[in-house]
Amino acid sequence: MNVEELVRDALRETAAEQPPAGPGWAERVLAVRRRRRTRRITAAAAATVTVVALAVAVPQLDSRREDVRPAGLLDGGHTTSAHPDQSPPRDLIAAGQAVLAAYYTTEIEKRTTETGIARRTYWLLDPGTGRYEKDTRWSFVAVAPGLRTAAVLERTLPARRIGLLDLATGEVERWIPVRQGVGGLAYSYDGTKLLATTYDGHPDAREKSYSTEGDVAWREPFGETPRTGFVVLDPAQGTAGPWRRLSTEGQDVNVRSDLQFSRSGRLVQARIIGGRDGMQTFYDLTGAAVAAPADERHLRSDVPARLSPDGTLAALGLTKEVPDRSYSSIRDPRTGKEIAKVRGAELLAWVDERRLIAWERSAGTEAYEPRLALVTIGSDEVRWLSGPRTQGDTFQWSWEPVFARP
């Protein structure tokens, strides 16, 4: 099925629908066959953007060329494209203002008998075909709002340059050199800034460990990170600002401790490990520690969806599990008061002000095998967007999503 047919089918399906009204390490390994919470800091969020904003977000590409994004992404993101029979996905997955722009798999590359590196392999959305294509050149990919550009790092980390990849041609249109080695990237909400997290060692180092049941797993060295700081870049001009050092002294952190922008883009947010899940701290763009912004102080760093498009709702963590279903909390971002519960074990991206994409457990299976699902506040129904993902002998998920706004 070509892209046009896919979009036509999705549009017909959407038109026929009536929108509903209104999980340390030891514990993870022991619980792996029944459930697992994946915690990742991403820069993915869901929101409506204007044509002007898109032009600003990715001006490094030729704005005069034909827009080759799948047609369903040109209508303001109203089309839902689901493939519940595919895992990993082969064809476009999208709902409203959230598009699966890429995904990656991970394999352990052994360094010694007890140490290794978690190597990523990415599949990027081809905007001309609406299919995901394998691209082995990159160790890290961040997709800009608008789905025209991705910031990429080459295979050896930390990297000394950042590429701006044209997703339509598959070619790097600009390289931005950096003095400090980079291991992670994140775009600001509006796409005008690019945040590079710097490291003086590999951020995906792993150590071999064994569970109490004798299972082997490759885990991150606890409480250590080679993270050194950050650089803010202007992707339009192809320039990098001054390097800012960030100390992690006295903080418990993961090895990969990538930073991301606050919603406004004026602050940098970091995840720390402490007495409660999802702890976070904020810095200004000079690297000075500051108070959390009013609308983000109650958020969790391990819940990717964060703020709704209009900023009035906050996606929080798992609060309830019953057979065949999970529920996460929706709260007032300024007070932390719970407003509602919504289906889903992990909230990944906002589709609009009432709907999100989440990982939710597959019905009727004893093992926790999550699937991408479209969930709605005020409704107990879900729409499956992907097939279930599984875990191998290394206890890693078979694939991880990367979302962006169309």
Side-chain angles (χ1 to χ4, degrees):
M1 178 179 291
N2 60 31
V3 176
E4 290 77 16
E5 291 171 334
L6 181 153
V7 172
R8 284 198 299 270
D9 289 348
L11 284 171
R12 285 195 296 268
E13 185 178 16
T14 301
E17 291 177 341
Q18 293 297 322
W25 173 79
E27 291 86 351
R28 290 177 186 269
V29 172
L30 290 172
V32 72
R33 287 180 174 85
R34 59 185 179 87
R35 66 183 179 92
R36 175 175 171 123
R37 294 186 215 166
T38 302
R39 299 173 179 174
R40 293 288 186 270
I41 300 177
T42 70
T48 302
V49 293
T50 64
V51 173
V52 173
L54 289 176
V56 172
V58 286
Q60 64 272 17
L61 297 184
D62 187 354
S63 61
R64 297 168 298 178
R65 65 187 170 96
E66 181 182 359
D67 196 330
V68 294
R69 288 177 295 161
L73 305 183
L74 301 178
D75 64 354
H78 299 300
T79 296
T80 297
S81 179
H83 295 283
D85 59 333
Q86 297 180 12
S87 180
R90 299 182 299 276
D91 302 294
L92 172 68
I93 290 179
Q97 294 299 307
V99 177
L100 182 67
Y103 67 88
Y104 64 88
T105 62
T106 305
E107 293 184 355
I108 297 297
E109 179 184 291
K110 294 183 180 180
R111 294 290 180 89
T112 70
T113 57
E114 300 295 323
T115 65
I117 298 295
R119 295 286 190 188
R120 298 182 181 186
T121 299
Y122 281 86
W123 277 255
L124 307 181
L125 178 63
D126 184 327
T129 66
R131 294 178 63 88
Y132 299 97
E133 303 294 344
K134 185 176 182 178
D135 194 333
T136 62
R137 294 174 292 174
W138 317 120
S139 65
F140 195 96
V141 174
V143 180
L147 299 170
R148 294 185 179 93
T149 308
V152 295
L153 300 178
E154 293 169 287
R155 298 303 299 178
T156 301
L157 294 181
R160 293 289 179 170
R161 62 179 184 173
I162 299 167
L164 298 179
L165 179 72
D166 182 335
L167 290 171
T169 67
E171 300 296 329
V172 174
E173 294 211 341
R174 174 176 289 164
W175 288 102
I176 306 175
V178 287
R179 294 185 178 182
Q180 303 290 331
V182 173
L185 300 167
Y187 278 95
S188 61
Y189 188 76
D190 63 5
T192 61
K193 301 186 189 78
L194 180 64
L195 182 64
T197 305
T198 61
Y199 294 86
D200 61 8
H202 205 294
D204 295 314
R206 295 292 185 267
E207 295 177 346
K208 185 183 288 187
S209 279
Y210 305 86
S211 75
T212 56
E213 296 175 339
D215 296 313
V216 176
W218 292 89
R219 66 172 180 87
E220 299 182 38
F222 178 75
E224 302 174 9
T225 180
R227 192 187 75 196
T228 58
F230 67 89
V231 176
V232 177
L233 300 96
D234 182 339
Q237 301 300 320
T239 57
W243 175 65
R244 306 299 187 181
R245 178 183 293 276
L246 284 187
S247 174
T248 57
E249 184 177 358
Q251 298 179 1
D252 286 331
V253 292
N254 290 326
V255 174
R256 176 170 284 282
S257 295
D258 292 343
L259 305 164
Q260 66 177 354
F261 284 110
S262 65
R263 169 60 71 91
S264 69
R266 294 192 291 267
L267 300 178
V268 169
Q269 178 257 327
R271 177 186 177 189
I272 58 176
I273 303 170
R276 60 182 178 83
D277 290 339
M279 291 182 65
Q280 56 184 357
T281 187
F282 288 85
Y283 305 88
D284 65 22
L285 299 187
T286 72
V290 297
D295 59 351
E296 296 189 51
R297 64 167 56 105
H298 294 289
L299 299 184
R300 285 176 50 160
S301 63
D302 59 347
V303 178
R306 298 182 72 80
L307 288 173
S308 63
D310 63 4
T312 63
L313 297 176
L316 273 294
L318 177 70
T319 62
K320 180 182 178 181
E321 290 180 291
V322 296
D324 289 346
R325 60 190 61 196
S326 307
Y327 295 89
S328 289
S329 182
I330 301 295
R331 297 178 181 260
D332 184 317
R334 293 180 173 267
T335 68
K337 181 180 179 179
E338 184 171 276
I339 296 172
K341 288 183 174 64
V342 69
R343 286 284 302 271
E346 184 181 8
L347 303 179
L348 301 173
W350 287 89
V351 170
D352 51 39
E353 274 69 25
R354 291 183 57 80
R355 300 182 298 163
L356 304 96
I357 293 179
W359 284 122
E360 175 60 313
R361 61 179 63 249
S362 300
T365 59
E366 181 179 353
Y368 176 53
E369 295 183 345
R371 309 171 70 174
L372 291 180
L374 181 61
V375 300
T376 303
I377 299 171
S379 172
D380 211 38
E381 300 300 316
V382 303
R383 178 176 178 182
W384 301 117
L385 301 178
S386 78
R389 64 176 184 170
T390 58
Q391 289 177 314
D393 294 337
T394 62
F395 301 105
Q396 296 173 331
W397 291 114
S398 52
W399 57 280
E400 294 287 349
V402 177
F403 285 96
R405 303 195 316 277

